[in-house]
Amino acid sequence: MHSCAPGSGPRARRKRQRYVEKNGRCNVQHGNMRETYRYLTDIFTTLVDLNWRCSLFVFVMAYAVTWLFFGAIWYLIAYCRGDLDHLEDEAWTPCVNNVNGFISAFLFSIETETTIGYGHRVITDQCPVGTMLLLLQAILGSMVNAFMVGCMFVKISQPNKRAETLVFSKHAVISLRDDKLCLMFRVGDLRSSHIVGANMRAKLIKSKQTQEGEFIPLDQTDISVGFETGDDRLFLVSPLVISHEIDVHSAFWDMSQAQLEKEDFEIVVILEGMVEATGMTCQARSSYLAEEVLWGHRFSPMMSLAEGFFDIDYGAFHHTFEVDTPSCSARELALAAARLDAHLYWSISSRLDEEPTLAEQAAKQPDGGSAHSKAGEPIFTVGEMTDIQEQSALGELNGSVTTDQSETEA
């Protein structure tokens, strides 16, 4: 029985800017960056991070520019050698057969870089410059293919979409577990292929001011979800309820239900693991504002035993129900429990002190070793057993035993 009464009453909703959206997108934009050249030093990651529209545009332009560039060079070679002036001269050996303009030179550039080789346009052995250009285009074309195809492959195989099937509950709850206040939220995986080595982390995002007066906006504080005991490593084959015990090391140690309604914070939860199908690392994120933390609620069960398997009802994934929960903080709840334990301890000690010991009972017996009532009947004295074992031994030393009537008459 708790000394704090369950709290109830509507909560005033507050509008707060999220640091992390419910879908996991970080609501942060970088501005006034003057060192933009750093993006070019890691051009591969820059291209992979582009959205699909820009990525497809870069992909098309990379090939189109190289084809046009080398097509212009092939046309320039034909123009400088005079091949365009001897199109009808069968005795003339051009650098590239059947190149009679820029369009034909562009088509030959495409055939060379893509190694199509239709056989109509072909370089001759009378053009050393064309031979060197052919080698250069083949090498650069292979590099462009490797770079652009690699970017597209990495972008397609990114595990970002895998996080779409990792779901978090809409609300977090605070209720009692084993007589301790706990902050809980639920996480589940909708796919049959599992997340290998799933690991859960949680952060408290809250601005604070230090003792020196320094203001730290959006300060990040770790919220323990079982790192010390290994409970943060999940076997995520069915939805799990992640629990944070509000103890003396918790950031919510002094927070009561009334204070929760006035607080302004955000809890960011992060699930990381390896995708079983691809072996790539995946991260899913979500967040809970203060108004999305329900005090005195518990998640509804969603697992049932069917014939030969366990059935998961994802329709109840976000459902919660109210339970009796103290409205006081975890600190006040711990102090109330400590006062109750101290009261019980002193009550038991006082009762033990008031009870006569076996030694005192043996000292009150007559010297004859037996006591008779006024009616002449014997009185049987039995030593009382207490929690203190020394009293039993002391009673035996003082001769506290049961007296039989036949022994008295003898």
Side-chain angles (χ1 to χ4, degrees):
M1 184 174 182
H2 303 284
S3 60
C4 303
S8 61
R11 172 185 300 176
R13 299 292 180 180
R14 303 179 301 274
K15 182 65 176 179
R16 184 186 188 275
Q17 183 63 51
R18 286 185 178 274
Y19 188 64
V20 176
E21 299 290 344
K22 295 294 286 185
N23 59 4
R25 184 180 65 86
C26 296
N27 196 15
V28 177
Q29 294 184 0
H30 302 280
N32 197 21
M33 294 184 300
R34 301 178 181 179
E35 298 180 353
T36 55
Y37 67 91
R38 296 183 180 272
Y39 287 97
L40 298 178
T41 59
D42 189 12
I43 186 64
F44 186 85
T45 304
T46 301
L47 293 177
V48 172
D49 289 340
L50 293 176
N51 55 42
W52 274 105
R53 183 179 301 177
C54 294
S55 296
L56 292 176
F57 177 77
V58 172
F59 184 84
V60 172
M61 290 302 298
Y63 285 103
V65 168
T66 54
W67 294 340
L68 289 171
F69 174 74
F70 284 102
I73 296 179
W74 286 116
Y75 175 79
L76 183 62
I77 291 176
Y79 178 81
C80 294
R81 292 184 78 254
D83 296 340
L84 302 179
D85 299 331
H86 299 81
L87 296 178
E88 304 298 332
D89 188 359
E90 296 181 357
W92 180 265
T93 304
C95 182
V96 181
N97 291 329
N98 301 313
V99 173
N100 52 14
F102 179 77
I103 300 299
S104 59
F106 176 70
L107 293 176
F108 178 72
S109 175
I110 295 176
E111 294 177 17
T112 302
E113 190 165 332
T114 57
T115 64
I116 295 177
Y118 291 115
H120 183 65
R121 297 178 181 87
V122 60
I123 191 171
T124 63
D125 56 357
Q126 301 296 323
C127 184
V129 178
T131 303
M132 297 178 60
L133 182 61
L134 180 66
L135 295 175
L136 180 62
Q137 185 175 3
I139 294 174
L140 291 180
S142 299
M143 295 176 63
V144 171
N145 286 332
F147 190 82
M148 298 310 302
V149 172
C151 287
M152 296 302 294
F153 175 78
V154 172
K155 191 171 184 63
I156 292 173
S157 60
Q158 274 186 322
N160 295 340
K161 295 302 180 181
R162 179 63 176 89
E164 297 294 334
T165 53
L166 297 173
V167 292
F168 296 89
S169 57
K170 294 181 180 179
H171 296 88
V173 299
I174 294 180
S175 60
L176 289 175
R177 263 194 177 184
D178 297 330
D179 290 334
K180 295 181 180 179
L181 283 177
C182 294
L183 170 70
M184 293 169 286
F185 58 92
R186 181 180 273 169
V187 61
D189 187 3
L190 302 180
R191 286 190 179 274
S192 299
S193 59
H194 308 306
I195 296 294
V196 179
N199 182 273
M200 177 61 66
R201 294 185 292 125
K203 292 281 187 179
L204 174 65
I205 309 297
K206 181 181 179 181
S207 302
K208 74 172 186 179
Q209 189 171 5
T210 64
Q211 296 179 357
E212 295 78 14
E214 178 187 4
F215 178 75
I216 303 178
L218 302 178
D219 181 60
Q220 300 184 13
T221 304
D222 278 329
I223 299 177
S224 176
V225 289
F227 176 77
E228 297 82 3
T229 59
D231 292 337
D232 61 329
R233 296 185 288 273
L234 310 179
F235 183 53
L236 196 60
V237 296
S238 62
L240 299 175
V241 176
I242 310 300
S243 176
H244 162 67
E245 181 180 329
I246 304 178
D247 54 11
V248 67
H249 303 291
S250 173
F252 307 102
W253 176 243
D254 295 315
M255 186 178 298
S256 63
Q257 182 178 5
Q259 292 172 334
L260 175 63
E261 297 175 356
K262 302 176 183 178
E263 286 290 339
D264 185 17
F265 63 84
E266 183 175 354
I267 301 174
V268 177
V269 292
I270 305 169
L271 174 63
E272 293 177 332
M274 184 181 299
V275 181
E276 186 179 35
T278 62
M280 302 184 69
T281 302
C282 172
Q283 184 181 93
R285 298 180 296 265
S286 186
S287 67
Y288 301 98
L289 299 179
E291 57 265 25
E292 295 173 342
V293 180
L294 304 180
W295 190 288
H297 281 244
R298 187 179 298 165
F299 286 106
S300 302
M302 54 183 301
M303 179 183 292
S304 60
L305 180 60
E307 185 176 355
F309 60 93
F310 293 95
D311 184 41
I312 307 297
D313 180 19
Y314 273 96
F317 184 82
H318 301 286
H319 290 177
T320 63
F321 61 94
E322 293 187 10
V323 293
D324 292 337
T325 304
S327 61
C328 59
S329 64
R331 175 192 289 272
E332 296 171 344
L333 186 62
L335 291 176
R339 287 195 295 265
L340 180 61
D341 292 341
H343 175 72
L344 292 176
Y345 173 78
W346 289 111
S347 298
I348 295 175
S349 299
S350 301
R351 186 171 299 177
L352 291 176
D353 293 339
E354 294 175 358
E355 293 179 354
T357 62
L358 295 178
E360 295 175 350
Q361 294 179 2
K364 293 178 180 179
Q365 293 180 358
D367 296 335
S370 62
H372 296 272
S373 62
K374 295 181 180 180
E377 297 180 353
I379 299 177
F380 298 93
T381 304
V382 182
E384 295 182 0
M385 298 299 293
T386 63
D387 293 335
I388 305 175
Q389 301 298 330
E390 288 80 358
Q391 293 184 2
S392 177
L394 183 58
E396 294 177 0
L397 292 176
N398 290 320
S400 176
V401 295
T402 305
T403 305
D404 189 88
Q405 184 178 3
S406 59
E407 293 178 357
T408 305
E409 295 175 353

